[in-house]
Structures are given as structure tokens and as C-alpha cells.
Amino acid sequence: MLECDELCTFLGRHDRPLRLWLAMDRTTRRIVGCFLGQRDALGAFGLWESLLTPDLDAVCHTDRLATYKGVVFGGLHRIGGTQHIERFNATLRLRLAHLVRKSLSFSRKQANLETLVWLFIHRYNASLP
């Protein structure tokens, strides 16, 4: 079972919003998918493409964002039950200054932000039992 959610950040200036799309395995709490993009169907598809093949058949818990319906089909899509991924989003905002909403820290390049997020995710996954 997966939990999927997105969180907003900015690239360069506050008029250029960017979404960090995340997928978490509900039983192990590992982050299994990540994508940086816009809040549209392409962003949801990018998250879905970042998942490994066994995770594509998992039940996916999401919020009410309509773009998930384009990638998670039928009985695999459940609305609600995203407490763990929401908690992880709060941890990301706490630990990475680039993701704080009103901060002087920001990334000018998307590649730098992606590297920062991926390094944190790999360290987080490695710390889990």
C-alpha cells in the first residue's frame, strides 16, 4: 500500500512554484517515489513513472487532487489515509531550509534542489529498520 502526496516549494523566486511529489510505502515507511514538477497531470505521471514495477499494482492512498485519477486506476485508488506521508512532509520542511515556506534559503536551479531532496530521502530510507 502506498501513500502519495505533494508539497509546494519555490524555485528561484516566489512566483515560480514547484511541487515535490512523493510516494511512501505504508508498511515500511520508505520513500519509494519522488518527482519534482508542476501540480498537473504531468507531475502525477512523473511520480508514477518514478515507482518501481512492484509498486505499480499497490493500493494508493491520496488526497482529493483530481490529477491522481489519471494515473491510479479503479479499485487501486483510495482517498484519505495519508497521515504518514503528511508527517514526512513536515519532517522535510523542518530539516531542509529550502522547503520552508517563508525562508531566505532557496535553490536557483532545479537540479540542485533535486539533489538535496534525494540525498535526504536516501539518508532517511537508510535510517529505517
Side-chain angles (χ1 to χ4, degrees), residues 60-126:
C60 188
H61 293 263
T62 67
D63 52 12
R64 296 194 192 290
L65 188 62
T67 56
Y68 287 116
K69 292 180 182 178
V71 293
V72 184
F73 299 107
L76 295 177
H77 187 227
R78 304 269 163 68
I79 294 175
T82 59
Q83 299 89 349
H84 303 108
I85 192 72
E86 294 286 353
R87 176 64 236 165
F88 181 75
N89 287 348
T91 301
L92 271 175
R93 288 197 190 278
L94 180 73
R95 303 256 175 104
L96 298 178
H98 295 257
L99 299 179
V100 176
R101 290 192 177 126
K102 294 185 178 183
S103 173
L104 296 176
S105 299
F106 60 90
S107 293
R108 293 187 190 274
K109 295 182 182 177
Q110 185 170 337
N112 294 344
L113 184 60
E114 287 176 4
T115 302
L116 181 71
V117 170
W118 270 113
L119 286 173
F120 181 83
I121 288 172
H122 285 295
R123 188 168 186 166
Y124 171 82
N125 283 345

Side-chain angles (χ1 to χ4, degrees), residues 6-9 17-21 35-40:
E6 71 286 337
L7 89 125
C8 183
T9 186
L18 193 64
R19 298 289 172 158
L20 176 61
W21 296 76
F35 181 73
L36 224 56
Q38 299 302 317
R39 189 179 190 196
D40 56 5

Side-chain angles (χ1 to χ4, degrees), residues 3-22:
E3 292 183 22
C4 298
D5 196 31
E6 71 286 337
L7 89 125
C8 183
T9 186
F10 297 96
L11 194 62
R13 300 176 306 210
H14 281 277
D15 61 349
R16 294 178 55 199
L18 193 64
R19 298 289 172 158
L20 176 61
W21 296 76
L22 296 167

Side-chain angles (χ1 to χ4, degrees), residues 30-45:
R30 292 189 186 281
I31 302 300
V32 294
C34 178
F35 181 73
L36 224 56
Q38 299 302 317
R39 189 179 190 196
D40 56 5
L42 289 175
F45 185 72

